[in-house]
Amino acid sequence: MTQVKARVLSGVQPTGNLHLGNYLGAIRNFVGLQQTHDCLYCVVDMHAITVFQDPVELASNTREVAAAFIAAGVDPKNHIVFNQAQVSQHAELAWVLNCVARMGWLNRMTQFKEKAGKDREKASVGLYVYPNLMAADILLYKATHVPVGEDQKQHLELARDIAQKFNNDFNAPAFFPLPEPIIQGPATRVMSLRDGSKKMSKSDPSDLSRITMTDQADDIARKIRKAKTDPEALPETADDLSGRPEAANLLGLFAALTDQPLSTVIGQFAGAPFSSLKEQLAEVAIEKIAPIGAEMKRLTDDPATIDAILADGADRARAIAEPIMAEVRKRVGFLGN
Ligand code: TRP
């Protein structure tokens, strides 16, 4: 049971409208980790249905996320790309973890409060236990590192608490490693192009609020041109960004897309008008995103090939998961092999 390389696992929900926030905050960070880690990248279709999904759209969104991983540079041969529902051990471990996690822990989850909104009585039970399923995704492979956006840090803390309690309750010190978050890059929080104080979101009614991964060059240019600004010139220092969410967002995007620190980019545009930032931002966004979008289209035009990649990934994921799940069953006291 020794693990040579550190193991990375991350997941992205197939809920449609994959956008720049998903790319910069998650998917793009998956690529580099392949050099140093054994990676599993999972399309978390079971998480998606915590909010109702049209079944036909769910299937095509699942293929779209897999295509985005691959188009961005994830190698499904040397690493593992799969969808969660094909590896039933995720659901099985999630049940055990439902019985390890405490109500009080889940009651603290801010994402549930946000997503359930005012009418909490009408949220699905799945939405409430969503973080336990996420913990299962990670622990099922004894993953040590989890690249996530800022917004998932709390869920990762919970996964650590669950791992620790399982190890204690079942007298299995260090059975589950405590997973570490990897939070990379300056633009882990990509904000709406229409309102710099709101996150870029798949569900924003305005198409102009987000750049999707399959936007064509002219859409990307138009959305950046129409992005909200404020009346001042661009600031000279990072301190002057406070209270200027749109300037912060566009500069942050430029920094992320050009792989530069924000401070460098602030220096570059100090005192310039928004128009010059927008022009250059459109250029780099098109250069980075349009080829990925084109490759995603090519891949999703051939669903049989994507399905074969996901089936192969699921087989290889299961081969890692099953012995760990078998040990969980034994530790918990379940009879059978
Ligand atoms: N909850 C994550 C999100 O919405 C997606 C996710 C599910 C995930 N399982 C995971 C991320 C396991 C990292 C590891 O972004």
Side-chain angles (χ1 to χ4, degrees):
M1 273 263 162
T2 45
Q3 230 169 257
V4 191
K5 274 197 214 169
R7 181 174 284 150
V8 157
L9 179 134
S10 195
V12 172
Q13 293 196 56
T15 43
N17 278 338
L18 268 188
H19 55 71
L20 204 52
N22 303 113
Y23 178 66
L24 294 174
I27 297 171
R28 134 178 125 141
N29 302 326
F30 297 176
V31 179
L33 291 166
Q34 299 178 107
Q35 308 288 330
T36 44
H37 297 71
D38 288 325
C39 304
L40 295 120
Y41 295 124
C42 183
V43 188
V44 288
D45 42 10
M46 289 161 63
H47 277 103
I49 65 162
T50 55
V51 174
F52 182 79
Q53 303 294 319
D54 174 89
V56 173
E57 279 173 26
L58 179 64
S60 89
N61 290 336
T62 298
R63 293 190 184 104
E64 187 186 45
V65 174
F69 289 169
I70 296 164
V74 169
D75 174 356
K77 288 213 164 68
N78 284 314
H79 297 273
I80 298 180
V81 172
F82 70 110
N83 64 303
Q84 190 184 30
Q86 277 199 74
V87 181
S88 57
Q89 286 85 350
H90 286 253
E92 190 182 358
L93 181 59
W95 178 256
V96 174
L97 301 187
N98 281 342
C99 301
V100 172
R102 306 290 90 186
M103 296 278 287
W105 300 357
L106 286 162
N107 286 340
R108 270 179 237 128
M109 296 296 113
T110 55
Q111 191 169 67
F112 174 76
K113 292 177 198 166
E114 272 162 32
K115 286 203 180 167
K118 288 209 171 61
D119 206 350
R120 210 175 282 187
E121 299 277 311
K122 290 218 170 103
S124 75
V125 177
L127 190 66
Y128 183 69
V129 292
Y130 171 120
N132 295 344
L133 177 60
M134 177 166 162
D137 298 339
I138 300 164
L139 302 180
L140 186 55
Y141 303 95
K142 298 190 175 179
T144 52
H145 293 85
V146 182
V148 282
E150 275 292 323
D151 63 321
Q152 295 297 313
K153 257 171 95 172
Q154 194 185 31
H155 288 163
L156 213 68
E157 285 294 322
L158 181 83
R160 294 166 61 91
D161 290 344
I162 291 174
Q164 193 141 43
K165 182 159 163 58
F166 181 97
N167 293 350
N168 284 337
D169 288 357
F170 296 102
N171 203 7
F175 176 69
F176 286 130
L178 306 189
E180 303 274 352
I182 302 179
I183 296 179
Q184 284 171 328
T188 49
R189 271 181 92 79
V190 175
M191 311 307 278
S192 159
L193 297 179
R194 303 301 299 163
D195 176 352
S197 65
K198 281 199 319 208
K199 264 181 62 167
M200 188 174 281
S201 154
K202 63 172 194 311
S203 49
D204 192 309
S206 168
D207 253 357
L208 287 174
S209 70
R210 70 186 151 257
I211 291 170
T212 70
M213 290 184 71
T214 48
D215 274 345
Q216 314 260 321
D218 50 345
D219 292 318
I220 298 174
R222 183 173 51 91
K223 288 175 181 180
I224 293 176
R225 207 178 326 114
K226 295 202 168 163
K228 189 175 171 201
T229 58
D230 64 41
E232 313 281 317
L234 291 163
E236 315 259 339
T237 67
D239 284 348
D240 296 337
L241 273 179
S242 74
R244 301 188 63 189
E246 284 78 23
N249 189 35
L250 296 177
L251 289 164
L253 281 175
F254 190 85
L257 285 165
T258 56
D259 289 307
Q260 298 183 89
L262 182 61
S263 57
T264 308
V265 172
I266 292 173
Q268 184 180 341
F269 289 101
F274 271 94
S275 57
S276 78
L277 169 59
K278 282 182 168 185
E279 206 173 293
Q280 292 190 53
L281 179 59
E283 218 167 275
V284 295
I286 289 168
E287 193 184 298
K288 288 271 155 94
I289 300 303
I292 297 176
E295 179 62 6
M296 283 172 67
K297 280 233 168 64
R298 197 187 66 78
L299 290 163
T300 47
D301 279 348
D302 179 10
T305 301
I306 299 233
D307 292 0
I309 291 171
L310 290 172
D312 170 65
D315 285 343
R316 286 154 54 221
R318 227 178 276 118
I320 302 171
E322 177 48 30
I324 295 172
M325 191 63 224
E327 201 160 336
V328 169
R329 291 182 205 113
K330 205 170 81 192
R331 299 245 174 215
V332 170
F334 291 156
L335 292 182
N337 46 97

